[in-house]
Amino acid sequence: MTLHAPPAAARGATYRRLWRAASPYAYIAPFFTLFAAFGLFPLLYTAFVSLYRVELQTPGDMQWRGLANYTALFTDDFFWLSLRNTFTIGVLSTVPQLVMALGLAHLLNYKLRGRTFFRTAMLLPYATSVAAATLVFAQLFGRDFGLVNHLLGVVGFGPVDWQTGTVASQVAVSTIVIWRWTGYNALIYLAGMQSIPTELYEAAEMDGASRWRQFVHVTLPGLRPTIVFTVVVSTIGATQFFGEPLLFEGSVSGGISHQYQTLGLYLYEQGWGFFHLGRAAAVAWVMFLLILVLVGVNALVVRRRARKEAVR
């Protein structure tokens, strides 16, 4: 005689097995739902709009243009100027920012008195509103009454027109970015440094290595994944510069001669200044592809370097 489980118990066991199999997907479903609604769909719709002539006043009137929006971009001198400005400001802000963050993290990694206060203070610029920070720096870099020009005059230099000079304005905008993000990256480097085993430093110290040699031969190799991460994130952020150059003078053109107009400002000018939504969507996709290329190049460089070290 064969005994069978009650139907209700069998169904309950089946439901539990199904739930165990489906529960991981149920937990991550909210994220992917929000990503599809607010990330993937806008991305695909922007690609669709970039192939049409769409005006802000009449968004429902769409005329097929194919790749004409892209070819119009590549023949526009202001697009290439904004691309060059984005690269220049990105280098001027990213390189000093990461170098300073690495040095600050190295100092904070030692047992300093009040180091908790200094670590907390590092995040204050990041927590400050970009609008408030940019407006304050715009006053500091004022031509006639700015503090920066006053300090330059004290040491014997003449006043600099920070809002009309090409190099000067780009340096001023880069300074705002450096001030806001150096502390944030310093804390990321500090977390990476604290994950490096102390035995490596002790062994290097027993071998007579100075602090500088310990930093070069122990800290930097241990921080390589963290440095790659900050370089990638900073590259993405540099490609999307918008708030700082917009609020520095309050113009979407990026100065009287577009001398610090970035791709983000150029996109905004095309869409909400000239009302060409199709052209703005094309700029957005060019920026997206540019980010993919830059991240891909960085990943390729890191992979080749890792292979060379593996051969050694």
Side-chain angles (χ1 to χ4, degrees):
M1 181 176 180
T2 305
L3 297 177
H4 297 281
R11 285 197 300 269
T14 302
Y15 290 150
R16 284 193 294 271
R17 286 196 300 270
L18 291 175
W19 173 248
R20 282 196 298 268
S23 59
Y25 301 97
Y27 292 139
I28 64 176
F31 166 77
F32 285 102
T33 302
L34 293 175
F35 172 75
F38 300 102
L40 184 60
F41 172 75
L43 183 67
L44 297 178
Y45 186 72
T46 302
F48 171 75
V49 172
S50 69
L51 302 176
Y52 287 83
R53 183 180 185 273
V54 187
E55 300 298 322
L56 183 62
Q57 303 94 328
T58 57
D61 184 12
M62 304 177 67
Q63 300 176 10
W64 172 259
R65 295 198 65 188
L67 299 177
N69 284 327
Y70 294 92
T71 56
L73 285 182
F74 297 142
T75 57
D76 186 0
D77 293 336
F78 289 121
F79 167 76
W80 294 107
L81 178 60
S82 64
L83 179 62
R84 185 168 65 248
N85 292 340
T86 301
F87 175 78
T88 305
I89 297 175
V91 172
L92 288 175
S93 60
T94 300
V95 176
Q97 172 194 148
L98 296 183
V99 172
M100 292 170 60
L102 193 59
L104 290 172
H106 185 61
L107 292 176
L108 291 176
N109 197 32
Y110 289 106
K111 295 182 179 180
L112 301 175
R113 182 176 298 178
R115 60 179 178 175
T116 303
F117 167 77
F118 290 113
R119 293 176 181 178
T120 305
M122 286 290 177
L123 278 179
L124 292 180
Y126 172 71
T128 305
S129 167
V130 60
T134 305
L135 292 176
V136 170
F137 273 88
Q139 297 297 320
L140 293 176
F141 284 103
R143 184 186 62 181
D144 298 322
F145 305 103
L147 179 61
V148 176
N149 275 345
H150 174 72
L151 295 177
L152 290 176
V154 171
V155 296
F157 293 96
V160 178
D161 195 347
W162 296 99
Q163 293 185 340
T164 59
T166 300
V167 177
S169 60
Q170 292 181 1
V171 169
V173 172
S174 301
T175 303
I176 306 172
V177 180
I178 292 172
W179 181 82
R180 291 196 68 238
W181 291 97
T182 298
Y184 174 84
N185 286 301
L187 291 182
I188 293 179
Y189 286 147
L190 179 61
M193 289 178 182
Q194 292 180 342
S195 66
I196 300 175
T198 56
E199 292 81 3
L200 298 178
Y201 291 101
E202 293 173 355
E205 188 174 359
M206 292 180 61
D207 290 338
S210 62
R211 285 190 173 182
W212 171 250
R213 296 186 66 86
Q214 292 179 26
F215 176 76
V216 173
H217 297 287
V218 178
T219 304
L220 288 182
L223 277 182
R224 184 166 299 146
T226 307
I227 294 175
V228 171
F229 169 77
T230 55
V231 169
V232 170
V233 172
S234 299
T235 301
I236 295 174
T239 309
Q240 299 174 337
F241 277 149
F242 179 75
E244 292 87 352
L246 173 65
L247 297 173
F248 184 64
E249 192 184 12
S251 172
V252 295
S253 61
I256 58 175
S257 58
H258 298 252
Q259 69 271 15
Y260 59 90
Q261 185 183 48
T262 60
L263 285 175
L265 281 184
Y266 181 78
L267 183 154
Y268 187 86
E269 184 182 44
Q270 292 295 321
W272 283 262
F274 301 148
F275 310 127
H276 302 322
L277 292 185
R279 185 82 62 86
V283 178
W285 258 87
V286 169
M287 293 173 61
F288 175 69
L289 296 176
L290 179 62
I291 290 173
L292 291 182
V293 170
L294 293 176
V295 173
V297 169
N298 182 77
L300 182 62
V301 171
V302 172
R303 184 176 300 177
R304 286 186 175 180
R305 186 178 181 87
R307 287 179 179 176
K308 289 182 179 180
E309 292 184 354
V311 171
R312 293 176 185 176

